[in-house]
């Protein structure tokens, strides 16, 4: 943001009246608003279900990110805030941790009453977020860099697998995450070929 402000100040000093500081703030606000609305949609129940709305949205985000790189860290921050597994990072839980510690480390969200969401709701939300990250990484254009772009998918999967313990049982989230990453929606298949 500071670099962008400096660039705009330089443009103004050089007589370019096309840009103002307010425009820079407005752009940052718009990018944050767009990313936060995407996250709300991706976490909604039924997202990426039979309508298959995940991949078209992911494809559009990848196209926008290819032209407007400032969306990349903002969208990543929004996703990582609500889904630490998307980094990927598995929770490290001490043996004496409470149930609340476990739920918080997984990224479970508390409702208005202060109770944690159900595990089923958590898995549904995680499915939407992980599948969105996977969909984005496998989207066109092939030179986009959102979540590492096309090459980021292999790195992400490798990192996730290296996070898994060498002993049983595996963390509860392992199978659902691998399923979301390994099974793209049917309408995305032509783009992946």
């Amino acid at each position: 943001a500071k670099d962008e402000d400096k660039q705009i100040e330089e443009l103004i000093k050089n007589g370019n009246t096309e840009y103002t500081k307010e425009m820079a703030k407005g752009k940052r606000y718009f990018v944050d608003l767009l990313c936060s609305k995407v996250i709300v949609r991706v976490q909604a129940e039924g997202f990426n279900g039979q309508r298959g709305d995940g991949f078209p949205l992911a494809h559009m985000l990848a196209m926008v990110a290819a032209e407007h790189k400032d969306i990349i860290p903002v969208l990543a921050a929004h996703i990582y805030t609500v889904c630490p597994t998307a980094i990927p990072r598995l929770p490290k839980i001490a043996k004496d941790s409470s149930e609340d510690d476990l739920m918080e480390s997984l990224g479970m969200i508390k409702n208005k009453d202060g109770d944690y969401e159900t595990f089923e709701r958590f898995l549904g939300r995680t499915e939407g977020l992980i599948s969105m990250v996977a969909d984005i990484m496998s989207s066109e254009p092939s030179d986009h860099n959102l979540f590492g772009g096309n090459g980021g998918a292999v790195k992400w999967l490798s990192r996730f697998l290296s996070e898994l313990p060498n002993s049983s049982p595996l963390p509860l989230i392992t199978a659902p995450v691998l399923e979301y990453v390994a099974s793209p929606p049917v309408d995305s298949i032509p783009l992946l070929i």
Side-chain angles (χ1 to χ4, degrees), residues 36 55 65 102 121 123 135 158 179:
S36 66
F55 201 78
L102 170 65
R121 176 68 192 117
L123 286 178
D135 290 351
S158 174
E179 178 185 358

Side-chain angles (χ1 to χ4, degrees), residues 122-144:
F122 164 71
L123 286 178
R125 212 172 41 75
T126 301
E127 174 185 1
L129 292 158
I130 296 295
S131 65
M132 176 56 67
V133 170
D135 290 351
I136 287 170
M137 289 187 289
S138 61
S139 289
E140 296 287 333
S142 59
D143 64 342
H144 83 82

Side-chain angles (χ1 to χ4, degrees), residues 92-102:
K92 305 289 188 233
I93 301 159
K95 288 187 181 197
D96 62 342
S97 295
S98 69
E99 188 176 345
D100 283 356
D101 293 337
L102 170 65

